[in-house]
């Protein structure tokens, strides 16, 4: 095997406010530490697809104890969900050529060490679904939609479901899950293109562009403050999907047939190449993506 | 029977911000419309005890559709929970001399018409508990504490329960219910006297005066904003006790023995006389009350 070289994207400094191109840097190709991949329990993978997700923003901030994921360290490679192909494995159960999903680095090749290597999930080739789906509808966003809708919110058929950020990685699925359940589904998004998508692609019953509602919506939101939780008997509930991971097999068994039947569709916004990754992540926080934001690096061999 | 005369407290004008003495007026004694009490389904009562409750503040505001109770009408008598004795009844099931609790007027005598007369609850003399308790631990605040703690919050033994406004009509009971369940109970209140009460009277395990926490607490509260619902898996849930009224018999059967055994105590802040009622209600919104705020008008005959 020729010596492998890998570019990588690092966080340059902690972010306050919105991240910009100045906060990240694509470093030129350097030798991959293949010896590290030979250590017991480690895996060397070629990254095929990277995921841009909102939770990455708080990880770019100066560490604070309140958040639920660890902060990135300036000078080191950004990590996130991705799909990769195993190049060399010192981990039982994974072999060269296997496709995996899980947490990887924003780089061409990653050496994934224990215990993280053991947390990679082997992708079953019999699914026949796009590999990027394992960062979306079959990954964290999809499972978040499932747990949040079916387990936390748990509405009944006939009830009205409102989804904000409704064309995004999670929202588009919540809307479709709600429609499948027989709810009346209303969504909001930030452009006419996205609102059209909600109605015409995802089957929302109604949708609006929150940027065009102007003073009325802003006024309504100002007036509708927390005290109305009482009179409107509202429940607000936070959750993170890893707490519910025992339900993932149930979700997978439920959603894969729906995807194959076309009853659940998934819209992705795919950019090409590692050099486009920082811009794609930045765009996410300005709503520039239409659907789940993905970065495609390579095809499987 | 000598002709009855009754004073009454009216709302003079809608309130913005805190209510003041200028917003209410005690009108001098005028003849009671006893003929009205002779109408089918109506009851004439002598009011013995009136309750001052926080929900009365939004009722004093200009009507808005968002709230869950109807606004008071300027120029008319303020209404609220109270305990009263029947003087004359044209309602089957109630007779002169009976003690009742329910919604009554801030006046010496009230004529309560259908359908409200039918919503009065006859007080069982065998309870042997102070009549004012029927506006507190056995009334709306007590049932709110029960539903909120046991049905909405529903913690497990050994968990930590934090109660704000912990010496108030509802909070003091939530703390005691939590202790009975085997929770570790922490409360906050707005004076040293109240904090002492939490520890020494209600058996809270720990308590603090939120006014003395100074910049640290304010800073912590500013930093702990809504986004932390996600990472801390917090559920915020609004409710109003009338939605759960089918549980009231269960609550009553549970709490009365606890009160009689001394396992649940109830601290009231009692002022004497209808003329003291506006000031007592105003004081409630500045935390001047220590325990459940009650106005005593008369003893039963």
């Amino acid at each position: 095997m020729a010596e492998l070289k890998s570019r990588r994207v690092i966080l340059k400094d902690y972010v306050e406010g919105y991240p910009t191109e100045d906060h990240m840097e694509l470093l030129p190709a350097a030798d991959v530490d293949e010896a590290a991949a030979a250590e017991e329990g480690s895996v060397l993978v070629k990254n095929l697809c990277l995921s841009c997700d909102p939770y990455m923003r708080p990880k770019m901030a100066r560490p604070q104890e309140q958040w639920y994921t660890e902060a990135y360290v300036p000078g080191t490679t950004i990590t996130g969900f991705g799909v990769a192909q195993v190049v060399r494995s010192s981990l039982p159960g994974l072999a060269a050529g296997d496709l995996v999903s899980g947490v990887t680095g924003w780089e061409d090749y990653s050496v994934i060490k224990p215990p993280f290597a053991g947390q990679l999930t082997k992708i079953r080739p019999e699914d026949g679904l796009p590999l990027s789906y394992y960062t979306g509808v079959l990954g964290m966003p999809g499972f978040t939609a499932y747990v949040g809708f079916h387990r936390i919110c748990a509405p009944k058929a006939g009830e009205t479901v409102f989804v904000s950020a409704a064309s995004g990685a999670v929202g588009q699925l919540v809307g479709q899950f709600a429609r499948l359940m027989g709810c009346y589904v209303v969504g909001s998004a930030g452009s006419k293109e996205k609102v059209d998508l909600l109605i015409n692609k995802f089957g929302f019953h109604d949708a609006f562009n929150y940027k065009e509602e102007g003073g009325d919506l802003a006024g309504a939101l100002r007036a509708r403050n927390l005290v109305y939780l009482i009179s409107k008997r509202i429940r607000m509930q936070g959750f993170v999907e890893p707490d519910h991971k025992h339900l993932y097999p149930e979700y997978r068994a439920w959603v894969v047939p729906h995807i194959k039947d076309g009853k659940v569709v998934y819209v992705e916004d795919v950019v090409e190449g590692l050099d486009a990754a920082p811009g794609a992540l930045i765009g996410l926080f300005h709503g520039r993506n239409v659907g789940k934001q993905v970065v495609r690096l390579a095809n499987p061999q």
Side-chain angles (χ1 to χ4, degrees), chain A:
Chain A
M1 186 190 292
E3 193 169 88
L4 295 175
K5 290 188 176 288
S6 180
R7 299 165 300 158
R8 61 195 183 106
V9 177
I10 62 163
L11 181 72
K12 282 175 69 179
D13 197 6
Y14 292 124
V15 175
E16 292 180 20
Y18 288 102
T20 67
E21 296 274 357
D22 290 339
H23 291 105
M24 289 172 271
E25 185 173 2
L26 176 65
L27 297 186
D31 289 346
V32 172
D33 182 8
E34 295 184 58
E39 289 172 20
E40 178 78 19
S42 292
V43 184
L44 171 65
V45 299
K46 181 179 186 182
N47 292 308
L48 306 180
C49 169
L50 302 175
S51 178
C52 297
D53 293 296
Y55 79 89
M56 297 168 78
R57 167 63 190 83
K59 284 173 74 76
M60 299 174 107
R62 202 169 293 278
Q64 47 180 358
E65 59 175 330
Q66 302 281 2
W67 204 247
Y68 63 96
T69 58
E70 280 182 26
Y72 294 131
V73 177
T76 67
T77 308
I78 289 175
T79 58
F81 290 108
V83 174
Q85 187 163 32
V86 176
V87 175
R88 180 178 306 173
S89 172
S90 306
L91 181 74
L94 283 187
D98 282 351
L99 295 167
V100 293
S101 66
V103 175
T104 189
W106 278 33
E107 54 199 347
D108 294 304
Y109 292 90
S110 295
V111 174
I112 305 179
K113 297 178 181 176
F116 305 105
Q119 294 164 11
L120 294 170
T121 303
K122 202 165 156 179
I123 292 175
R124 306 183 197 181
E126 67 267 28
D127 278 351
L129 297 174
L131 288 179
S132 54
Y133 276 23
Y134 292 86
T135 69
V137 60
L138 293 174
M140 178 274 288
F143 189 48
T144 298
Y146 182 75
V147 169
F149 180 73
H150 282 289
R151 296 294 167 142
I152 307 288
C153 188
K156 297 184 189 72
E159 290 185 324
T160 296
V161 171
F162 170 70
V163 187
S164 64
S167 72
V170 177
Q172 60 175 291
L173 293 172
V174 172
Q176 294 179 82
F177 296 171
R179 182 175 45 72
L180 285 173
M181 178 176 262
C183 296
Y184 183 81
V185 189
V186 182
S188 69
S191 73
K192 182 178 182 307
E193 176 186 14
K194 292 178 183 178
V195 167
D196 289 347
L197 203 60
L198 296 185
I199 301 287
N200 299 322
K201 183 84 178 175
F202 304 129
F204 282 60
H205 297 97
D206 204 353
F208 65 92
N209 179 347
Y210 68 86
K211 290 181 181 169
E212 288 184 352
E213 292 295 313
D216 287 336
L217 182 68
L221 289 175
R222 262 198 305 277
R224 194 173 297 160
N225 54 42
L226 276 181
V227 77
Y228 292 112
L229 256 63
I230 301 170
S231 56
K232 291 181 168 290
R233 291 86 158 159
I234 289 169
R235 173 160 58 93
M236 288 180 76
Q237 188 165 349
F239 71 99
V240 294
E241 51 83 27
D243 290 352
H244 306 265
K245 60 186 174 187
H246 61 287
L247 298 173
Y248 185 78
E250 166 189 312
Y251 169 58
R252 186 195 163 82
W254 178 81
V255 81
V256 169
H258 280 323
I259 297 171
K260 292 190 171 177
D261 290 352
K263 284 186 183 160
V264 168
V265 297
Y266 200 60
V267 169
E268 297 177 317
D269 193 327
V270 182
V271 299
E272 298 285 336
L274 190 59
D275 52 338
L281 181 60
I282 291 163
L284 193 68
F285 302 108
H286 299 280
R288 288 184 202 132
N289 60 306
V290 178
K292 163 69 185 157
Q293 184 66 60
V294 175
V295 182
R296 205 169 65 92
L297 302 189
N299 288 320
Q301 303 272 302

